[in-house]
Amino acid sequence: MAAARRPSNQLGLDRADVRRARTLARQVGKPIVDLATQHTTVSVERATLRLAGLGGADPDGTPWVNRLADAVRADTGLEHGVSLPVWDALIRGEGDDLLTLAQKAAAGSVTFRVPEGKDATRATAASRKAVAVGIKQIDRQRAARDKLIAKVGDAPSKPWIYLIVATGDIHEDIPQAQAAAREGADVIAVIRSTGQSLLDFVPEGATREGFAGTYATQENFRLMRAALDETSKELGRYVRLTNYASGLCMPEIAALAGLERLDMMLNDSMYGILFRDINPIRTFVDQRFSRQVHARAGIIINTGEDNYLTTADAVEAAHTVTTSQLLNEYFAKEAGLEDWQLGLGHAFEIDPEVPDSFRLELAHAMLARELFPDAPLKWMPPTRHMTGDIFKGYLLDGFFNLVGAMTGQGILLVGMMTEAVVTPWISDRDLALQNVRYVMNAAGNLHEDFRPSPEGFIARRAREVLGDAIGLLEEIKDDRTVAGQPPLLSAIADGTFGLMKRPADKGRGLDGVARKAADYYNPATEILEGAT
């Protein structure tokens, strides 16, 4: 599944500099991983209950996992995890199954405790057995994907053409997604309803109303995956499905994606921190668990570095994108993801009025490809400088597509000439796909032939950006603004990324974080990390 590769080191990158950049990323990232392993969140605990088979919602629409987790937390706190108190209660006969227990807990007729001794041993074994069933389902779904690709075929070439649909109504999304696949899309992304990332619960069922998007629910995942399976068989190529494992319910949505065989997930804590004001500690804890699930499920993650360039200048802040990509690579691999699963984000967002803007875009895209030769990379289209002039926008999208072809990107999100004007019509998507097809048919293999001058503008700019990224990583590593706090949290608080200042003691969801007690137990984490 490796992305198309360019011959290595066309930019004259000093391999010592590349090694230094990765070493610094590890040094900056390790304290965050340590922080994540020392804490749990309400969403991690609810995801564990979902893996054990608890689903559905009460008559008010509150998921049973929320009801059960909240009841346990009220009695025992979150620091021990919910697994031992829940399965201890089941063993004590407080409920015949998880659903019954959740219903009784919601009614206030169950008291939870943290078991000790033999009771704890029994609860540990029972919870691990229950959660293992869900993880085995994820394993079956991964095998089913591989089997279907072997049977019907895969996308015939790279980059994979990635197109967004989202009407708010899953039953309207399905025919639009199928039509997009028939017109050449390899990846269908169902964008979420506005604001879902701020909900501390996952809605239930098939939804028909959303706001500039469609709610991410398990049933919506199932319906769209089934429809695209039919289209895959019709077209003779597997059509991939993408959604969003971000926001306050990142671990739960990751678990549901694995259970329903999604193929890619937007998954980047920095997006939630910067653009949704989610507490940094909360989302770094959630990100690590969700990426462990994605690793097990064979899901490709997409990271959100492109978003930095919607608020910061794409030339001046280019090194922050590279810095974040290096950190995301470290965090992803630490969680078990492989190179082929790293859809690291970057974007065509330089102001077209800047002299040599196209050459700068080429330099930045080539740098990403050389730094991460085995990662697919997700190449994002222009948005910030789309003015409503659809003719200029169509031309910009063509240049964006050309950079994707010249630099061997793995995932290319289709740009819309009506960006900043309207939510795209089906006809807009058709024209956008024609643009992509023309460029890929005419220049899709240009990366085999394009060689920038080693001392020319493009190579020098790429080396400059890498040098600036190394400098920023060194600056972050040495930051001791807050004693005992990981320096990356201080950098985030200072507005280093995307010009947004997000302190570690603020933001949404902080009240859903707990430091683990000595007897904390989570069977999902134990299984995902390979403990026996």
Side-chain angles (χ1 to χ4, degrees):
M1 293 189 181
R5 295 185 62 173
R6 298 175 53 83
S8 63
N9 207 7
Q10 295 187 39
L11 298 172
L13 302 181
D14 187 326
R15 290 303 157 191
D17 285 345
V18 175
R19 288 192 298 271
R20 175 64 177 157
R22 284 198 163 88
T23 297
L24 286 165
R26 183 175 66 253
Q27 291 171 339
V28 170
K30 180 63 164 57
I32 295 292
V33 171
D34 293 342
L35 186 76
T37 59
Q38 293 163 4
H39 291 80
T40 188
T41 73
V42 288
S43 189
V44 167
E45 301 304 319
R46 295 192 304 249
T48 303
L49 294 173
R50 289 185 182 277
L51 289 169
L54 182 57
D58 69 12
D60 295 326
T62 302
W64 289 119
V65 292
N66 287 65
R67 290 292 196 190
L68 184 52
D70 289 348
V72 173
R73 186 181 187 186
D75 285 348
T76 69
L78 193 65
E79 60 270 21
H80 310 281
V82 303
S83 297
L84 294 185
V86 164
W87 271 271
D88 172 67
L90 288 172
I91 291 169
R92 289 188 285 115
E94 295 286 358
D96 294 332
D97 52 33
L98 282 173
L99 178 57
T100 304
L101 185 67
Q103 292 168 340
K104 291 179 67 176
S109 59
V110 179
T111 299
F112 294 95
R113 66 175 189 176
V114 179
E116 298 177 351
K118 292 181 179 179
D119 291 337
T121 301
R122 285 191 288 267
T124 297
S127 64
R128 182 180 172 110
K129 181 179 179 181
V131 170
V133 172
I135 293 178
K136 286 178 182 176
Q137 172 63 8
I138 289 175
D139 293 342
R140 284 192 291 269
Q141 289 284 38
R142 179 171 181 168
R145 178 193 299 117
D146 293 341
K147 183 177 180 181
L148 189 55
I149 291 173
K151 181 178 180 180
V152 304
D154 206 345
S157 61
K158 294 283 185 74
W160 288 334
I161 308 306
Y162 177 118
L163 192 140
I164 292 172
V165 301
T167 66
D169 181 344
I170 188 62
H171 296 293
E172 291 294 330
D173 290 344
I174 286 171
Q176 288 201 17
Q178 292 175 315
R182 293 184 185 109
E183 289 299 313
D186 301 307
V187 182
I188 300 297
V190 183
I191 200 168
R192 288 191 306 183
S193 179
T194 298
Q196 185 176 351
S197 60
L198 302 182
L199 299 179
D200 213 344
F201 67 93
V202 180
E204 286 285 332
T207 62
R208 307 206 67 169
E209 293 183 356
F211 304 92
T214 303
Y215 285 104
T217 74
Q218 184 170 7
E219 179 64 5
N220 285 348
F221 289 176
R222 187 190 68 80
L223 289 168
M224 184 61 81
R225 181 66 271 165
L228 291 180
D229 282 351
E230 290 303 313
T231 305
S232 297
K233 294 170 185 174
E234 170 194 332
L235 298 176
R237 58 180 172 84
Y238 185 69
V239 180
R240 286 171 170 80
L241 175 59
T242 299
N243 212 283
Y244 294 70
S246 58
L248 291 171
C249 293
M250 187 187 292
E252 293 174 83
I253 293 176
L256 297 178
L259 291 168
E260 300 299 338
R261 190 168 35 88
L262 272 68
D263 307 286
M264 289 188 193
M265 296 298 284
L266 279 289
N267 182 261
D268 189 346
S269 61
M270 292 294 286
Y271 176 81
I273 294 168
L274 299 179
F275 299 100
R276 293 294 181 265
D277 195 20
I278 295 173
N279 174 260
I281 298 173
R282 166 72 179 265
T283 196
F284 275 124
V285 176
D286 285 347
Q287 176 180 268
R288 184 172 187 267
F289 182 94
S290 64
R291 288 186 176 184
Q292 288 178 322
V293 174
H294 291 330
R296 184 76 176 227
I299 288 173
I300 296 170
I301 66 165
N302 294 163
T303 61
E305 285 82 4
D306 53 283
N307 292 286
Y308 303 168
L309 305 183
T310 63
T311 53
D313 183 83
V315 178
E316 294 177 0
H319 66 295
T320 68
V321 170
T322 302
T323 299
S324 182
Q325 289 170 334
L326 288 161
L327 289 168
N328 256 318
E329 179 192 48
Y330 168 74
F331 290 137
K333 289 190 172 182
E334 188 280 330
L337 290 155
E338 299 180 37
D339 282 311
W340 65 267
Q341 294 175 282
L342 306 186
L344 301 172
H346 56 146
F348 189 99
E349 290 285 19
I350 297 173
D351 185 343
E353 300 302 320
V354 170
D356 291 314
S357 63
F358 184 76
R359 297 166 81 194
L360 288 166
E361 296 284 16
L362 268 174
H364 299 170
M366 286 188 68
L367 174 61
R369 172 46 68 216
E370 287 211 6
L371 287 176
F372 311 101
D374 296 314
L377 301 183
K378 182 186 176 188
W379 182 226
M380 299 288 286
T383 58
R384 184 177 184 180
H385 299 289
M386 297 292 270
T387 63
D389 180 339
I390 61 172
F391 302 103
K392 182 178 180 180
Y394 202 64
L395 180 62
L396 275 178
D397 285 336
F399 273 75
F400 157 77
N401 294 331
L402 183 58
V403 171
M406 293 175 72
T407 59
Q409 301 298 307
I411 304 164
L412 185 144
L413 195 144
V414 177
M416 295 292 156
M417 64 284 189
T418 50
E419 180 76 37
V421 182
V422 295
T423 300
W425 298 92
I426 292 178
S427 57
D428 299 336
R429 294 191 182 112
D430 183 62
L431 287 169
L433 284 166
Q434 287 184 41
N435 190 327
V436 174
R437 282 198 299 270
Y438 168 71
V439 173
M440 293 305 154
N441 287 338
N445 294 317
L446 192 56
H447 62 88
E448 296 179 3
D449 308 300
F450 176 65
R451 302 286 187 277
S453 169
E455 295 304 322
F457 178 91
I458 290 172
R460 284 187 283 108
R461 172 59 181 173
R463 295 194 293 268
E464 176 187 17
V465 172
L466 177 59
D468 289 346
I470 291 171
L472 178 56
L473 284 166
E474 288 174 336
E475 181 182 326
I476 294 171
K477 181 178 74 72
D478 294 335
D479 190 318
R480 295 293 182 268
T481 302
V482 180
Q485 176 174 281
L488 181 57
L489 294 183
S490 298
I492 292 169
D494 290 342
T496 299
F497 301 95
L499 302 181
M500 300 291 189
K501 296 183 178 182
R502 303 300 190 199
D505 60 349
K506 305 289 184 183
R508 297 177 174 93
L510 177 58
D511 60 346
V513 180
R515 189 174 184 89
K516 294 176 181 176
D519 61 352
Y520 174 84
Y521 179 68
N522 186 313
T525 300
E526 185 176 74
I527 295 169
L528 292 169
E529 293 181 353
T532 56

